[in-house]
Amino acid sequence: MRGILRFGSRTIILYIAAAVVVGLIASYAIVPAPDSPKFQSEEGILDLRQAHVRENPLKLQGDWAFYWQELLSPEDIQNRLASDGNHDRWISIPSSWLGYRLDGQQLNGTGFATFRVIIQLSEQDRNERLALWVPTIFHAYKLWVNGELLAEVGVVGQDKSSVTPHLATKLVFFQPENDTVELVMQVANFHHVRGGITKYIELGGSDVLTVRTNLKIAAEIFITASLLVIGIYHLLLFILRRKDRAPLYFGLFTLLFGIRSLLVGELFLTQLWPDFPWELQFKIEYLILCSSGYIITMYSICIFPNYVSRLFRLGTRIVTGILCLVVVVTPALIYSKMLLIIGVIVVLHMVYLMVGLIQSAMRRMEGALIFLLVSMVALVTVINDFLYYNEWSRIGNTSPLGLLVFTIAQMVLLSSRFTRTASNEERITRELQDANNKLTEMNMNLERTVQERTQALSAAHDDLRSSYDQLLQSEQGRKKLLAYITHDLRMPLSSMLGYVEAVQDRVKPERNEQYLKYIRDNTIRINRMIEELSFLSHLETGQVSYRMESVHVIHFLRGFYEQYELVVRDAGLDFMLDYSDVQDQGPHSPVVEMDAQRLEQALFNLVSNAMKFTSRGGMVRISLAVDEVDHIRYANISVQDSGTGIPPEQLEQIFDRNYRYDRPGAEMGVEGSGLGLAICREIVQAHGGTVRADSDGKTGAIFYVSLPCMQART
């Protein structure tokens, strides 16, 4: 099989074309063509005086007398003919009365009627024992031959409640009494879309028809048994090895169509179990047809997994589920109308899969050409069966044989896969055994032991290095803090010492209260400075942890404004928040990953700084804008005051620690540690942002905090 696909692409195309042609030829070769009847009845009379039906059975076709909505016995018909004369209503057999025009109207599939034909026999057949092979007729009938009731299937009645549907084939034997044979058949149907004699009735010698029927039964038994055995075998294979699902779907497909073959053709199920419910029998057959497309699709995916699209898989599941649900919940009169739709869907499944098989063959996948060839055979037989059951073809029940050919070919393909899998497993087992032996030798090697110890020492060294870095960082922070305290506290402590000595020496007793106030204020200032120095030292050495989370900037500013609005207004200042140019909600609303508590501290330092240097009646304004630089969006928060401003030449220095610009506000007792802006810069930089100031030195100052945005969340 592997050698089939070892040629060039042109050879592959030729093989594909050959597969299609051979598939069509083989399909028609294995299906026996129906005999082309040379004799047809005209106006209810079939002239067989020139035929010898004892040796050459004939399929009855032509015009039969048609009595619509009447259940007449042979005696009733004779009495009517004697009183009324000729009968003027005829129907072509085999065909359904569905669509038959009667009195200017088309009949539907339900109802009841009586059929009659007169057969004129040749001299050779007059004294021979003859037989009639009667196929399944929808859905109950009685058959009289020369006035004698010879067959009855189901119960015939004039309404649905009085009719008992049943399906069965019959072989009826009779002895002609003269040169004519009268056939009268009552047919009633209230359960199926098509009613009437829709299949050929065969007339021939009893021996010949018996042998032919037995051969047909033997062939169907062979096909049915083969399908059932093959299906059960592959289901057992899947139970023993569940990793490969191909045997599961193939076994289900084969088993279901083996069951279906019991329900068509000679109807073995009703022969073995005459009381089997007719409705259940029909539902099983239709459910198998509805699910066949999905099962064969899943099997094809297991064999050639890369050419069936996800959309097709989803569509297959949905369509199959809908069809099966309709069959389960509706009566046969409804779902039998969908037979053509089911056939089209199944055929479309197979056509789509064969297109994929052509692609697989073009890619030189093993077994694709064989799969394509037998799929063509199965496709033609399945199409013929759907045409047959819709009365568009006279070749009946060919799909079991086509599916048997398909099944045997798939058995060969699956056997090849199992053999190849077993061989690969044996090879892999040997390779794993060899690898295991090599690993055992490596475990006994001293070099491996040394390497493991080296790795352990390296890991310990890394741990020690990490601990050392942490200790070094802590030590650097401690030294920085000590240096800052020494530098920043020296001046206020010296000032306090001078005030204390002045009080002790009673230099100016009248100013002692003022000196004590200075000492108290400096003490508070030193305490605050120590806290700020400690916090700033931790910021600069990276010892401050941040709890980052995604926060809507507008929500953050709104909460900040509500928290400090009264504080600012109590200082006699107008406090405003402006974000009118920024979208509050939606995909463009700015979102920043931040530690809200730390960022609030930085922003408060800016607001507090603005309050210190703005006179009563002034204003503090917080604004938000969004800019985009190099495809990155930034949230720009600005804090603007109406104070005295900052000289432009000092704007770059104000964020340095200990730098203080004594603006005119200092005359009002405004003092600071010079650490607030430095702390603000450290916090903002930890968020990946920047902070800067802008002022003309006359009309206030504006501080800008720029933070990178994330994708907005709604």
Side-chain angles (χ1 to χ4, degrees), residues 67-83:
Y67 302 88
W68 176 243
Q69 298 294 74
E70 294 182 279
L71 297 178
L72 304 177
S73 65
E75 293 79 7
D76 296 333
I77 294 176
Q78 292 297 331
N79 294 334
R80 177 172 296 187
L81 291 176
S83 61

Side-chain angles (χ1 to χ4, degrees), residues 27-275:
S27 300
Y28 284 105
I30 62 175
V31 177
D35 297 333
S36 299
K38 300 178 182 179
F39 303 93
Q40 297 186 10
S41 56
E42 296 180 1
E43 295 186 352
I45 298 176
L46 177 59
D47 187 357
L48 299 181
R49 288 176 294 183
Q50 303 300 322
H52 191 17
V53 296
R54 179 182 176 276
E55 297 178 357
N56 300 303
L58 293 176
K59 291 181 171 63
L60 305 184
Q61 75 169 8
D63 297 335
W64 288 38
F66 182 58
Y67 302 88
W68 176 243
Q69 298 294 74
E70 294 182 279
L71 297 178
L72 304 177
S73 65
E75 293 79 7
D76 296 333
I77 294 176
Q78 292 297 331
N79 294 334
R80 177 172 296 187
L81 291 176
S83 61
D84 296 341
N86 294 330
H87 180 77
D88 57 357
R89 290 178 180 172
W90 318 97
I91 189 171
S92 180
I93 299 297
S95 67
S96 170
W97 62 56
L98 176 64
Y100 180 82
R101 299 193 66 84
L102 182 66
D103 297 332
Q105 295 182 351
Q106 288 187 344
L107 303 182
N108 57 27
T110 59
F112 55 93
T114 303
F115 301 83
R116 176 177 179 268
V117 67
I118 300 296
I119 304 174
Q120 297 177 346
L121 300 176
S122 63
E123 294 182 357
Q124 299 94 324
D125 296 327
R126 294 175 184 175
N127 299 319
E128 300 291 340
R129 190 166 184 264
L130 302 179
L132 287 170
W133 181 82
V134 185
T136 55
I137 295 177
F138 296 108
H139 258 119
Y141 70 90
K142 288 183 177 180
L143 173 64
W144 284 269
V145 179
N146 289 335
E148 181 181 1
L149 180 62
L150 295 184
E152 183 174 6
V153 175
V155 177
V156 178
Q158 297 184 359
D159 54 41
K160 186 175 182 179
S161 61
S162 62
V163 172
T164 302
H166 192 69
L167 290 178
T169 59
K170 291 287 186 178
L171 190 60
V172 178
F173 301 95
F174 65 95
Q175 182 73 41
E177 298 177 355
N178 48 44
D179 58 353
T180 61
V181 175
E182 179 191 44
L183 302 183
V184 176
M185 180 175 289
Q186 296 178 357
V187 179
N189 171 61
F190 293 93
H191 299 80
H192 195 271
V193 68
R194 292 180 294 113
I197 307 172
T198 60
K199 303 173 184 177
Y200 284 110
I201 299 175
E202 289 190 68
L203 171 65
S206 59
D207 295 336
V208 175
L209 278 184
T210 299
V211 171
R212 181 178 293 185
T213 302
N214 290 336
L215 289 176
K216 188 185 302 183
I217 292 174
E220 292 188 4
I221 290 176
F222 170 77
I223 294 173
T224 301
S226 300
L227 292 174
L228 293 175
V229 170
I230 293 171
I232 294 173
Y233 170 77
H234 284 85
L235 289 178
L236 292 176
L237 283 181
F238 171 74
I239 292 174
L240 297 175
R241 186 177 183 272
R242 299 188 179 184
K243 185 177 181 180
D244 186 8
R245 291 184 174 270
L248 169 64
Y249 293 115
F250 180 70
L252 284 175
F253 179 82
T254 309
L255 181 64
L256 290 177
F257 273 90
I259 295 174
R260 180 182 177 273
S261 64
L262 295 173
L263 307 175
V264 296
E266 294 296 323
L267 285 85
F268 296 131
L269 185 64
T270 56
Q271 294 184 18
L272 297 174
W273 191 356
D275 296 329

Side-chain angles (χ1 to χ4, degrees), residues 369-505:
L369 285 179
I370 298 298
F371 205 142
L372 179 62
L373 176 63
V374 297
S375 296
M376 286 298 304
V377 176
L379 176 61
V380 173
T381 56
V382 168
I383 291 176
N384 176 77
D385 267 15
F386 279 110
L387 295 177
Y388 173 75
Y389 287 110
N390 283 280
E391 301 181 23
W392 296 338
S393 173
R394 296 307 176 190
I395 308 174
N397 199 29
T398 59
S399 59
L401 183 57
L403 292 173
L404 180 61
V405 175
F406 176 84
T407 300
I408 294 174
Q410 298 309 312
M411 285 181 58
V412 175
L413 179 60
L414 289 178
S415 299
S416 175
R417 283 166 52 90
F418 271 104
T419 302
R420 185 171 64 256
T421 301
S423 301
N424 290 337
E425 289 179 351
E426 293 176 358
R427 176 179 55 80
I428 293 173
T429 301
R430 291 193 299 268
E431 292 175 355
L432 289 175
Q433 184 63 40
D434 295 338
N436 183 61
N437 295 335
K438 292 180 180 179
L439 289 175
T440 303
E441 294 176 0
M442 292 176 65
N443 288 332
M444 299 174 64
N445 196 306
L446 180 61
E447 182 178 354
R448 180 179 180 85
T449 304
V450 173
Q451 184 180 3
E452 292 176 351
R453 292 181 179 178
T454 303
Q455 292 176 352
L457 290 174
S458 178
H461 176 268
D462 293 339
D463 293 338
L464 290 174
R465 182 68 182 177
S466 176
S467 300
Y468 173 78
D469 292 339
Q470 293 178 359
L471 289 174
L472 181 61
Q473 191 175 25
S474 298
E475 179 64 17
Q476 291 175 350
R478 186 186 66 79
K479 290 180 179 180
K480 282 187 176 183
L481 179 60
L482 182 60
Y484 297 156
I485 292 175
T486 302
H487 177 272
D488 292 336
L489 299 184
R490 182 177 297 162
M491 183 176 294
L493 286 175
S494 298
S495 176
M496 290 173 62
L497 181 59
Y499 291 143
V500 171
E501 291 176 351
V503 172
Q504 289 178 343
D505 296 338

Side-chain angles (χ1 to χ4, degrees), residues 663-678:
R663 292 189 279 183
E667 298 175 0
M668 299 179 289
V670 179
E671 295 181 341
S673 64
L675 300 175
L677 293 180

